Short mmCIF file of all heavy atoms in Angstrom, two decimals:
data_model
loop_
_atom_site.label_atom_id
_atom_site.label_comp_id
_atom_site.label_asym_id
_atom_site.label_seq_id
_atom_site.Cartn_x
_atom_site.Cartn_y
_atom_site.Cartn_z
N SER A 20 14.72 13.16 11.34
CA SER A 20 14.92 12.31 10.18
C SER A 20 15.44 13.12 9.00
O SER A 20 15.32 14.35 8.96
CB SER A 20 13.63 11.60 9.80
OG SER A 20 12.70 12.54 9.30
N GLU A 48 26.08 26.25 11.16
CA GLU A 48 27.26 25.85 11.95
C GLU A 48 28.17 24.92 11.16
O GLU A 48 29.40 25.02 11.22
CB GLU A 48 26.80 25.17 13.24
CG GLU A 48 27.95 24.71 14.13
CD GLU A 48 27.44 23.99 15.38
OE1 GLU A 48 26.21 24.04 15.65
OE2 GLU A 48 28.27 23.38 16.07
N ASP A 66 16.78 -2.55 1.89
CA ASP A 66 15.96 -3.60 2.49
C ASP A 66 14.49 -3.38 2.13
O ASP A 66 13.98 -2.26 2.23
CB ASP A 66 16.11 -3.60 4.01
CG ASP A 66 17.24 -4.50 4.48
OD1 ASP A 66 18.41 -4.18 4.19
OD2 ASP A 66 16.94 -5.52 5.12
N GLY A 121 18.89 2.01 3.11
CA GLY A 121 17.51 2.46 3.26
C GLY A 121 16.58 1.29 3.38
O GLY A 121 16.95 0.15 3.08
N LEU A 137 14.79 2.64 13.20
CA LEU A 137 15.44 3.14 11.98
C LEU A 137 15.78 4.62 12.12
O LEU A 137 16.83 5.08 11.65
CB LEU A 137 14.54 2.92 10.77
CG LEU A 137 14.30 1.47 10.37
CD1 LEU A 137 13.33 1.40 9.18
CD2 LEU A 137 15.60 0.77 10.01
N ARG A 139 16.54 6.04 14.95
CA ARG A 139 17.71 6.09 15.83
C ARG A 139 18.99 5.75 15.07
O ARG A 139 20.05 6.33 15.31
CB ARG A 139 17.52 5.11 16.99
CG ARG A 139 18.57 5.23 18.10
CD ARG A 139 18.37 4.16 19.15
NE ARG A 139 18.74 2.85 18.65
CZ ARG A 139 20.00 2.43 18.55
NH1 ARG A 139 21.01 3.21 18.89
NH2 ARG A 139 20.25 1.21 18.11
N TRP A 165 -9.88 5.07 -2.31
CA TRP A 165 -11.26 5.55 -2.22
C TRP A 165 -11.90 5.60 -3.59
O TRP A 165 -12.99 5.07 -3.81
CB TRP A 165 -11.29 6.93 -1.56
CG TRP A 165 -12.68 7.46 -1.37
CD1 TRP A 165 -13.51 7.23 -0.31
CD2 TRP A 165 -13.42 8.30 -2.28
NE1 TRP A 165 -14.72 7.87 -0.50
CE2 TRP A 165 -14.68 8.54 -1.70
CE3 TRP A 165 -13.12 8.86 -3.51
CZ2 TRP A 165 -15.65 9.32 -2.32
CZ3 TRP A 165 -14.09 9.64 -4.15
CH2 TRP A 165 -15.34 9.87 -3.54
N ARG A 169 -14.97 3.33 -5.13
CA ARG A 169 -16.13 4.01 -5.70
C ARG A 169 -16.37 3.57 -7.14
O ARG A 169 -17.51 3.28 -7.53
CB ARG A 169 -15.91 5.53 -5.63
CG ARG A 169 -17.03 6.35 -6.24
CD ARG A 169 -16.70 7.82 -6.19
NE ARG A 169 -17.68 8.62 -6.90
CZ ARG A 169 -17.58 9.92 -7.09
NH1 ARG A 169 -16.54 10.58 -6.60
NH2 ARG A 169 -18.52 10.59 -7.74
N GLN A 233 -19.57 -17.63 1.02
CA GLN A 233 -20.53 -18.60 1.53
C GLN A 233 -21.63 -17.92 2.33
O GLN A 233 -22.82 -18.21 2.17
CB GLN A 233 -19.81 -19.63 2.41
CG GLN A 233 -18.92 -20.59 1.65
CD GLN A 233 -18.28 -21.59 2.58
OE1 GLN A 233 -17.66 -21.24 3.57
NE2 GLN A 233 -18.44 -22.87 2.25
N THR A 243 -26.88 -9.59 -5.79
CA THR A 243 -26.72 -9.93 -7.20
C THR A 243 -25.33 -9.58 -7.70
O THR A 243 -24.96 -9.96 -8.81
CB THR A 243 -27.76 -9.20 -8.07
OG1 THR A 243 -27.52 -7.79 -7.99
CG2 THR A 243 -29.18 -9.50 -7.58
N ALA A 253 -11.79 -12.12 -4.32
CA ALA A 253 -12.74 -12.29 -5.41
C ALA A 253 -12.67 -13.71 -5.96
O ALA A 253 -13.71 -14.33 -6.26
CB ALA A 253 -12.44 -11.28 -6.52
N ARG A 266 -23.71 -19.10 -11.37
CA ARG A 266 -22.87 -18.78 -12.52
C ARG A 266 -22.44 -17.32 -12.49
O ARG A 266 -23.25 -16.43 -12.20
CB ARG A 266 -23.63 -19.07 -13.81
CG ARG A 266 -24.05 -20.53 -13.99
CD ARG A 266 -25.08 -20.65 -15.10
NE ARG A 266 -26.28 -19.87 -14.77
CZ ARG A 266 -27.26 -19.64 -15.65
NH1 ARG A 266 -27.16 -20.09 -16.89
NH2 ARG A 266 -28.32 -18.94 -15.28
N VAL A 274 -16.53 -8.04 -8.75
CA VAL A 274 -15.43 -7.11 -9.04
C VAL A 274 -14.37 -7.28 -7.96
O VAL A 274 -14.69 -7.39 -6.77
CB VAL A 274 -15.91 -5.64 -9.06
CG1 VAL A 274 -14.74 -4.70 -9.32
CG2 VAL A 274 -16.97 -5.43 -10.12
N ARG A 283 -6.54 -12.01 -15.01
CA ARG A 283 -6.75 -12.15 -16.45
C ARG A 283 -7.05 -13.59 -16.86
O ARG A 283 -7.71 -13.84 -17.86
CB ARG A 283 -5.51 -11.66 -17.21
CG ARG A 283 -5.48 -10.19 -17.48
CD ARG A 283 -4.08 -9.76 -17.86
NE ARG A 283 -3.26 -9.52 -16.68
CZ ARG A 283 -1.96 -9.30 -16.69
NH1 ARG A 283 -1.31 -9.32 -17.82
NH2 ARG A 283 -1.31 -9.07 -15.57
N GLY A 300 6.04 0.07 -6.07
CA GLY A 300 7.33 -0.42 -5.62
C GLY A 300 8.48 0.36 -6.22
O GLY A 300 9.45 0.70 -5.54
N ARG A 312 20.89 9.14 -0.43
CA ARG A 312 21.97 9.96 -0.99
C ARG A 312 21.93 11.39 -0.48
O ARG A 312 22.68 12.25 -0.94
CB ARG A 312 21.87 9.95 -2.52
CG ARG A 312 22.22 8.61 -3.14
CD ARG A 312 21.83 8.57 -4.60
NE ARG A 312 22.28 7.31 -5.22
CZ ARG A 312 21.60 6.67 -6.14
NH1 ARG A 312 20.44 7.14 -6.56
NH2 ARG A 312 22.06 5.54 -6.65
N THR A 318 7.57 15.41 -2.33
CA THR A 318 6.46 15.34 -1.39
C THR A 318 6.53 14.03 -0.61
O THR A 318 6.91 13.00 -1.17
CB THR A 318 5.10 15.44 -2.11
OG1 THR A 318 4.03 15.26 -1.16
CG2 THR A 318 4.97 14.38 -3.20
N PRO A 319 6.18 14.05 0.69
CA PRO A 319 6.26 12.81 1.47
C PRO A 319 5.04 11.90 1.30
O PRO A 319 5.06 10.77 1.75
CB PRO A 319 6.34 13.33 2.91
CG PRO A 319 5.61 14.63 2.87
CD PRO A 319 5.86 15.21 1.52
N ALA A 324 -2.68 6.57 -9.20
CA ALA A 324 -4.06 6.40 -9.65
C ALA A 324 -4.41 4.93 -9.87
O ALA A 324 -3.61 4.15 -10.39
CB ALA A 324 -4.30 7.18 -10.93
N ALA A 334 -22.04 -8.35 -15.47
CA ALA A 334 -23.03 -8.31 -16.55
C ALA A 334 -24.24 -7.51 -16.09
O ALA A 334 -24.46 -7.29 -14.89
CB ALA A 334 -23.46 -9.73 -16.93
N GLU A 338 -30.05 -9.04 -17.49
CA GLU A 338 -29.77 -10.29 -18.22
C GLU A 338 -29.64 -11.47 -17.28
O GLU A 338 -29.55 -12.61 -17.72
CB GLU A 338 -28.48 -10.14 -19.03
CG GLU A 338 -28.58 -9.09 -20.12
CD GLU A 338 -27.26 -8.89 -20.84
OE1 GLU A 338 -26.27 -9.51 -20.41
OE2 GLU A 338 -27.22 -8.10 -21.80
N GLY A 341 -30.61 -16.33 -13.06
CA GLY A 341 -30.35 -17.47 -12.20
C GLY A 341 -30.76 -17.24 -10.77
O GLY A 341 -31.70 -16.52 -10.47
N THR A 343 -29.71 -15.57 -8.20
CA THR A 343 -29.73 -14.31 -7.48
C THR A 343 -30.59 -13.25 -8.14
O THR A 343 -30.64 -12.11 -7.72
CB THR A 343 -28.30 -13.76 -7.31
OG1 THR A 343 -27.74 -13.56 -8.60
CG2 THR A 343 -27.45 -14.72 -6.53
#
Side-chain angles (χ1 to χ4, degrees):
S20 69
E48 180 182 349
D66 270 67
L137 293 178
R139 189 184 72 78
W165 183 87
R169 178 183 174 185
Q233 289 181 308
T243 64
R266 300 166 299 169
V274 178
R283 274 164 276 171
R312 290 168 175 144
T318 175
E338 296 175 356
T343 60

